[in-house]
């Protein structure tokens, strides 16, 4: 399980909604404080009138 915190967010308009790119840092968990912090990218698409959909996660 990741313990991520967003660092930046970018968005762009699509013909029928928006796409978002979140860059996050996966922080060490309380039970594993020696874990190295890792960067990840999360892509989310939001079509007009629909719930957000995670389309890609790059670790």
């Amino acid at each position: 399980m990741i313990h991520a915190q967003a660092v930046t967010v970018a968005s762009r308009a699509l013909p029928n909604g928006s796409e978002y790119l979140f860059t996050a840092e996966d922080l060490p968990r309380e039970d594993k404080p020696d874990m190295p912090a890792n960067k990840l990218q999360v892509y989310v698409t939001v079509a007009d009138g629909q719930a957000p959909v995670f389309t890609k996660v790059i670790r």
Side-chain angles (χ1 to χ4, degrees):
M1 166 99 30
I2 64 172
H3 177 235
Q5 179 176 359
V7 178
T8 62
V9 63
S11 65
R12 68 177 178 167
L14 298 174
N16 63 340
S18 299
E19 181 177 52
Y20 298 90
L21 168 59
F22 296 89
T23 301
E25 189 172 79
D26 188 12
L27 304 172
R29 297 188 311 255
E30 288 181 17
D31 63 334
K32 294 190 178 186
D34 296 333
M35 279 179 52
N38 294 312
K39 297 276 184 191
L40 59 124
Q41 293 180 314
V42 179
Y43 291 82
V44 179
T45 300
V46 183
D48 293 338
Q50 296 184 18
V53 176
F54 289 87
T55 56
K56 186 188 300 186
V57 176
I58 301 173
R59 296 182 187 190

